[in-house]
Amino acid sequence: MRILRAGDYKRMPWKNGGGETVEIAVSPDDAGLAGFDWRVSMATVATDGPFSIFPGIDRTLVILDGNGMVLDIEGSAPALLTTASDPLPFPADIPVAATLQDGAITDLNVMTRRDGLAHTLIRIDIHGGKSVPLTSSTCLLLCHRGALSFRHGYETGALGAGDALLIADAAGTALELDGEARCYLVSISTP
């Protein structure tokens, strides 16, 4: 188990050069954009335009802040994403264009290599105590807003806004949370 502090995240340019990504976690550690097995990142989108193409990758996106954007995903009807929308999964190796609704947005992006991994992304609002079952081998909990304390087995700690908790060998365990926070849980598994 490892606490990842917001101030320590790696900043890097988008693959297509159109903006900047804040990398929360990646596997293997220090993998580049072409060599990761999985990756969790945030990005601020300030202009309309195309998404970067990642061959063989599946992606899920959720809006963290801002007034939303419409994603035009090849082969699908345009999808409006707002902070109230469920996370949207889609292939990262087909053309996708974003149109902002009213100003910049910040999104959370999860990507896994399709030939060996799968992932889910869910929103969890914490109001007091909550037990969250962990069903995948690798889990990452991002505390987007607020603050919380946690217990996983015999380990305890606290997360503030922007911090994350990365747990390996998590399947079949539970994460005990307490506080007031909006969180996102990433679960990564082998299909």
Side-chain angles (χ1 to χ4, degrees):
M1 185 168 70
R2 191 170 50 161
I3 295 174
L4 309 171
R5 298 293 180 200
D8 297 332
Y9 297 154
K10 181 179 175 183
R11 295 183 176 276
M12 59 192 338
W14 288 353
K15 184 178 176 185
N16 69 9
E20 184 181 67
T21 292
V22 177
E23 187 175 82
I24 298 170
V26 64
S27 179
D29 289 342
D30 298 323
L33 291 178
F36 64 83
D37 292 331
W38 61 262
R39 183 172 185 256
V40 179
S41 62
M42 293 182 292
T44 298
V45 180
T47 60
D48 299 344
F51 272 39
S52 300
I53 299 285
F54 288 89
I57 299 294
D58 286 323
R59 155 186 263 164
T60 301
L61 190 122
V62 67
I63 304 295
L64 297 175
D65 295 302
N67 293 318
M69 71 178 169
V70 174
L71 290 186
D72 186 8
I73 303 168
E74 184 177 90
S76 299
L80 171 62
L81 296 179
T82 69
T83 56
S85 300
D86 289 334
L88 179 68
F90 57 96
D93 51 6
I94 62 172
V96 176
T99 304
L100 297 167
Q101 288 301 101
D102 182 21
I105 61 94
T106 301
D107 65 37
L108 177 64
N109 183 56
V110 179
M111 294 191 285
T112 52
R113 194 157 300 285
R114 186 177 303 128
D115 65 1
L117 296 171
H119 71 267
T120 60
L121 173 62
I122 61 170
R123 179 185 302 113
I124 302 174
D125 287 318
I126 310 297
H127 302 288
K130 185 171 197 129
S131 181
V132 178
L134 304 177
T135 58
S136 295
S137 57
T138 301
C139 293
L140 183 141
L141 181 79
L142 172 69
C143 179
H144 172 54
R145 286 197 191 114
L148 61 87
S149 60
F150 67 83
R151 182 172 55 81
H152 183 254
Y154 296 106
E155 297 184 76
T156 62
L159 301 178
D163 294 340
L165 178 65
L166 180 61
I167 305 172
D169 301 318
T173 66
L175 186 59
E176 304 299 327
L177 304 172
D178 191 35
E180 292 291 326
R182 168 155 282 185
C183 299
Y184 293 87
L185 178 65
V186 178
S187 301
I188 300 169
S189 60
T190 53

